[in-house]
Amino acid sequence: IDKIFVNYPEPPQKTGGYESQSRHLLTADFFKSMANALKPNGVLTVITDNMWYGQLLLHIVSETSDFQDALLSVGRDTGRAVFDSVKVAGGKSSVLNLYEGPPCWKTSGLGEKGKMSSSYFDRLWRREKQTKRYLLCLIPNYNRETNQKPVKNTRIIFED
């Protein structure tokens, strides 16, 4: 699998902090399954309009150490910024980011910039005048075919 898109997943009922959560699909085990299903340079993109849920997912992914950040471009040109960052578990220096803003055109599956396709959620988002989106853009943290971890400097950097 080259790309997995999880667009606007239903958040669990908020029952407390990150440790106490009700059942939902995007668990640590499910993230591990997605990492195993993706090709070595495959991309997982998760988009949500729920800040709390975006932060919860960031913490869940950081505990698995199965992914690394795809390092999306940020700044005025993209309309995107790093909203939150978490160190990956296990004492590694790797950091995962939760971005605020629009998805990267090349990884989102939305089409070319200016010619993007429109989903039900995009239309709902515009109609309800939503102003914030949060996204994770991740690549597997290892090469399943060779069982080797990628060299730190070979991360994919996506530009719009």
Side-chain angles (χ1 to χ4, degrees), residues 18 54-63 67 69 82-89 92-98 136 155:
Y18 296 120
Q55 289 177 309
L56 174 67
L57 295 174
L58 179 67
H59 285 272
I60 290 170
V61 174
S62 71
E63 293 298 319
F67 286 99
D69 199 89
V82 174
F83 179 77
D84 196 1
S85 296
V86 173
K87 266 190 161 181
V88 174
K92 299 177 178 137
S93 60
S94 182
V95 173
L96 297 175
N97 295 311
L98 177 65
L136 296 166
R155 285 187 177 179

Short mmCIF file of all heavy atoms in Angstrom, two decimals, residues 18 54-63 67 69 82-89 92-98 136 155:
data_model
loop_
_atom_site.label_atom_id
_atom_site.label_comp_id
_atom_site.label_asym_id
_atom_site.label_seq_id
_atom_site.Cartn_x
_atom_site.Cartn_y
_atom_site.Cartn_z
N TYR A 18 -5.20 11.52 28.33
CA TYR A 18 -4.76 10.64 27.25
C TYR A 18 -4.80 9.17 27.66
O TYR A 18 -4.97 8.30 26.84
CB TYR A 18 -3.34 11.00 26.80
CG TYR A 18 -3.27 12.37 26.20
CD1 TYR A 18 -2.46 13.34 26.75
CD2 TYR A 18 -4.02 12.71 25.09
CE1 TYR A 18 -2.39 14.61 26.20
CE2 TYR A 18 -3.98 13.96 24.54
CZ TYR A 18 -3.15 14.92 25.09
OH TYR A 18 -3.10 16.15 24.55
N GLY A 54 -6.76 15.05 17.79
CA GLY A 54 -5.48 15.12 17.09
C GLY A 54 -4.32 14.93 18.06
O GLY A 54 -3.37 14.19 17.79
N GLN A 55 -4.40 15.58 19.21
CA GLN A 55 -3.34 15.43 20.22
C GLN A 55 -3.32 14.02 20.80
O GLN A 55 -2.25 13.46 21.05
CB GLN A 55 -3.51 16.47 21.32
CG GLN A 55 -3.19 17.87 20.82
CD GLN A 55 -3.43 18.92 21.88
OE1 GLN A 55 -4.51 18.98 22.49
NE2 GLN A 55 -2.45 19.77 22.08
N LEU A 56 -4.49 13.44 21.01
CA LEU A 56 -4.57 12.06 21.49
C LEU A 56 -3.89 11.11 20.51
O LEU A 56 -3.07 10.27 20.89
CB LEU A 56 -6.02 11.64 21.71
CG LEU A 56 -6.24 10.17 22.07
CD1 LEU A 56 -5.67 9.86 23.45
CD2 LEU A 56 -7.73 9.83 22.01
N LEU A 57 -4.20 11.26 19.21
CA LEU A 57 -3.59 10.39 18.19
C LEU A 57 -2.08 10.59 18.13
O LEU A 57 -1.33 9.63 17.97
CB LEU A 57 -4.23 10.65 16.83
CG LEU A 57 -5.71 10.28 16.73
CD1 LEU A 57 -6.27 10.71 15.38
CD2 LEU A 57 -5.94 8.81 16.97
N LEU A 58 -1.63 11.83 18.27
CA LEU A 58 -0.19 12.11 18.29
C LEU A 58 0.48 11.33 19.42
O LEU A 58 1.53 10.71 19.21
CB LEU A 58 0.03 13.61 18.44
CG LEU A 58 1.47 14.10 18.51
CD1 LEU A 58 2.18 13.87 17.18
CD2 LEU A 58 1.50 15.58 18.89
N HIS A 59 -0.11 11.33 20.59
CA HIS A 59 0.46 10.60 21.73
C HIS A 59 0.41 9.09 21.51
O HIS A 59 1.36 8.39 21.86
CB HIS A 59 -0.25 11.00 23.03
CG HIS A 59 0.13 12.35 23.51
ND1 HIS A 59 1.21 12.57 24.33
CD2 HIS A 59 -0.40 13.57 23.24
CE1 HIS A 59 1.33 13.86 24.57
NE2 HIS A 59 0.36 14.48 23.91
N ILE A 60 -0.67 8.58 20.93
CA ILE A 60 -0.77 7.14 20.66
C ILE A 60 0.33 6.71 19.69
O ILE A 60 1.03 5.73 19.93
CB ILE A 60 -2.16 6.78 20.10
CG1 ILE A 60 -3.22 6.93 21.19
CG2 ILE A 60 -2.17 5.36 19.54
CD1 ILE A 60 -4.66 6.83 20.67
N VAL A 61 0.50 7.45 18.60
CA VAL A 61 1.52 7.11 17.60
C VAL A 61 2.92 7.21 18.20
O VAL A 61 3.78 6.38 17.93
CB VAL A 61 1.40 8.00 16.35
CG1 VAL A 61 2.53 7.74 15.39
CG2 VAL A 61 0.08 7.78 15.65
N SER A 62 3.16 8.20 19.03
CA SER A 62 4.50 8.38 19.61
C SER A 62 4.89 7.23 20.53
O SER A 62 6.06 6.93 20.69
CB SER A 62 4.60 9.71 20.37
OG SER A 62 3.86 9.67 21.56
N GLU A 63 3.90 6.54 21.11
CA GLU A 63 4.19 5.40 21.98
C GLU A 63 4.54 4.14 21.20
O GLU A 63 5.15 3.23 21.74
CB GLU A 63 2.99 5.13 22.90
CG GLU A 63 2.72 6.23 23.91
CD GLU A 63 3.89 6.42 24.88
OE1 GLU A 63 4.47 5.42 25.33
OE2 GLU A 63 4.21 7.59 25.17
N PHE A 67 6.29 4.84 13.40
CA PHE A 67 6.27 5.89 12.38
C PHE A 67 7.25 6.98 12.69
O PHE A 67 7.66 7.17 13.83
CB PHE A 67 4.86 6.52 12.30
CG PHE A 67 3.84 5.65 11.64
CD1 PHE A 67 2.96 4.90 12.39
CD2 PHE A 67 3.75 5.58 10.26
CE1 PHE A 67 1.99 4.10 11.79
CE2 PHE A 67 2.80 4.78 9.64
CZ PHE A 67 1.93 4.04 10.41
N ASP A 69 7.85 11.27 11.40
CA ASP A 69 7.16 12.40 10.79
C ASP A 69 7.60 12.57 9.35
O ASP A 69 8.77 12.39 9.02
CB ASP A 69 7.46 13.67 11.60
CG ASP A 69 6.45 14.74 11.32
OD1 ASP A 69 5.42 14.78 12.02
OD2 ASP A 69 6.69 15.54 10.40
N VAL A 82 3.29 23.91 12.69
CA VAL A 82 3.38 22.83 13.67
C VAL A 82 2.59 23.28 14.89
O VAL A 82 2.86 24.32 15.49
CB VAL A 82 4.84 22.51 14.04
CG1 VAL A 82 4.89 21.49 15.17
CG2 VAL A 82 5.61 22.00 12.84
N PHE A 83 1.56 22.50 15.24
CA PHE A 83 0.70 22.84 16.37
C PHE A 83 1.22 22.23 17.67
O PHE A 83 1.18 22.85 18.71
CB PHE A 83 -0.74 22.35 16.10
CG PHE A 83 -1.68 22.63 17.22
CD1 PHE A 83 -2.19 23.90 17.41
CD2 PHE A 83 -2.05 21.63 18.10
CE1 PHE A 83 -3.05 24.18 18.45
CE2 PHE A 83 -2.91 21.89 19.15
CZ PHE A 83 -3.42 23.17 19.33
N ASP A 84 1.72 20.99 17.58
CA ASP A 84 2.18 20.28 18.77
C ASP A 84 3.24 19.27 18.33
O ASP A 84 3.20 18.79 17.19
CB ASP A 84 1.02 19.55 19.44
CG ASP A 84 1.31 19.11 20.87
OD1 ASP A 84 2.42 19.37 21.37
OD2 ASP A 84 0.42 18.49 21.49
N SER A 85 4.16 18.95 19.20
CA SER A 85 5.21 17.96 18.91
C SER A 85 5.39 17.06 20.11
O SER A 85 5.26 17.51 21.25
CB SER A 85 6.54 18.63 18.60
OG SER A 85 6.44 19.40 17.43
N VAL A 86 5.70 15.80 19.85
CA VAL A 86 5.93 14.83 20.92
C VAL A 86 7.12 13.98 20.54
O VAL A 86 7.25 13.55 19.39
CB VAL A 86 4.68 13.92 21.12
CG1 VAL A 86 4.96 12.81 22.11
CG2 VAL A 86 3.49 14.73 21.57
N LYS A 87 8.01 13.73 21.51
CA LYS A 87 9.14 12.83 21.27
C LYS A 87 8.64 11.40 21.16
O LYS A 87 7.73 10.99 21.88
CB LYS A 87 10.14 12.91 22.43
CG LYS A 87 11.25 13.87 22.20
CD LYS A 87 12.30 13.69 23.27
CE LYS A 87 13.58 14.30 22.76
NZ LYS A 87 14.65 14.16 23.70
N VAL A 88 9.26 10.64 20.28
CA VAL A 88 8.91 9.24 20.12
C VAL A 88 9.42 8.46 21.33
O VAL A 88 10.50 8.72 21.85
CB VAL A 88 9.51 8.67 18.81
CG1 VAL A 88 9.27 7.18 18.69
CG2 VAL A 88 8.93 9.41 17.62
N ALA A 89 8.64 7.50 21.79
CA ALA A 89 8.98 6.68 22.97
C ALA A 89 10.28 5.93 22.74
O ALA A 89 10.69 5.67 21.62
CB ALA A 89 7.86 5.71 23.27
N LYS A 92 14.43 7.91 21.85
CA LYS A 92 14.95 8.33 20.55
C LYS A 92 14.83 9.84 20.43
O LYS A 92 14.02 10.47 21.09
CB LYS A 92 14.17 7.64 19.43
CG LYS A 92 14.30 6.15 19.48
CD LYS A 92 13.46 5.53 18.41
CE LYS A 92 13.65 4.03 18.46
NZ LYS A 92 12.49 3.27 18.33
N SER A 93 15.63 10.41 19.56
CA SER A 93 15.57 11.85 19.37
C SER A 93 14.51 12.24 18.35
O SER A 93 14.31 13.42 18.07
CB SER A 93 16.94 12.38 18.94
OG SER A 93 17.31 11.75 17.72
N SER A 94 13.82 11.28 17.77
CA SER A 94 12.82 11.54 16.76
C SER A 94 11.60 12.23 17.37
O SER A 94 11.18 11.92 18.48
CB SER A 94 12.42 10.22 16.10
OG SER A 94 11.49 10.45 15.08
N VAL A 95 11.02 13.15 16.61
CA VAL A 95 9.85 13.90 17.06
C VAL A 95 8.74 13.74 16.03
O VAL A 95 8.99 13.75 14.82
CB VAL A 95 10.21 15.40 17.23
CG1 VAL A 95 8.98 16.23 17.53
CG2 VAL A 95 11.24 15.58 18.32
N LEU A 96 7.50 13.60 16.51
CA LEU A 96 6.34 13.58 15.64
C LEU A 96 5.59 14.89 15.81
O LEU A 96 5.51 15.42 16.91
CB LEU A 96 5.41 12.42 16.00
CG LEU A 96 5.98 11.02 15.85
CD1 LEU A 96 4.98 9.99 16.36
CD2 LEU A 96 6.34 10.74 14.41
N ASN A 97 5.03 15.40 14.70
CA ASN A 97 4.34 16.67 14.73
C ASN A 97 2.86 16.51 14.44
O ASN A 97 2.46 15.70 13.60
CB ASN A 97 4.92 17.62 13.68
CG ASN A 97 6.34 18.00 13.98
OD1 ASN A 97 6.67 18.39 15.09
ND2 ASN A 97 7.21 17.87 12.99
N LEU A 98 2.06 17.33 15.11
CA LEU A 98 0.67 17.52 14.76
C LEU A 98 0.62 18.90 14.11
O LEU A 98 1.01 19.90 14.71
CB LEU A 98 -0.22 17.50 16.01
CG LEU A 98 -1.71 17.78 15.77
CD1 LEU A 98 -2.34 16.67 14.91
CD2 LEU A 98 -2.45 17.91 17.09
N LEU A 136 -1.82 14.61 10.95
CA LEU A 136 -0.59 13.84 11.11
C LEU A 136 -0.22 13.35 9.72
O LEU A 136 -1.09 12.90 8.97
CB LEU A 136 -0.82 12.63 12.01
CG LEU A 136 -1.21 12.89 13.46
CD1 LEU A 136 -1.71 11.61 14.10
CD2 LEU A 136 -0.03 13.41 14.22
N ARG A 155 14.62 10.89 5.39
CA ARG A 155 13.20 11.19 5.52
C ARG A 155 12.70 11.92 4.29
O ARG A 155 13.40 12.72 3.68
CB ARG A 155 12.94 12.07 6.73
CG ARG A 155 13.06 11.33 8.03
CD ARG A 155 12.62 12.23 9.13
NE ARG A 155 12.66 11.51 10.36
CZ ARG A 155 12.35 12.06 11.52
NH1 ARG A 155 12.01 13.31 11.59
NH2 ARG A 155 12.40 11.32 12.61
#
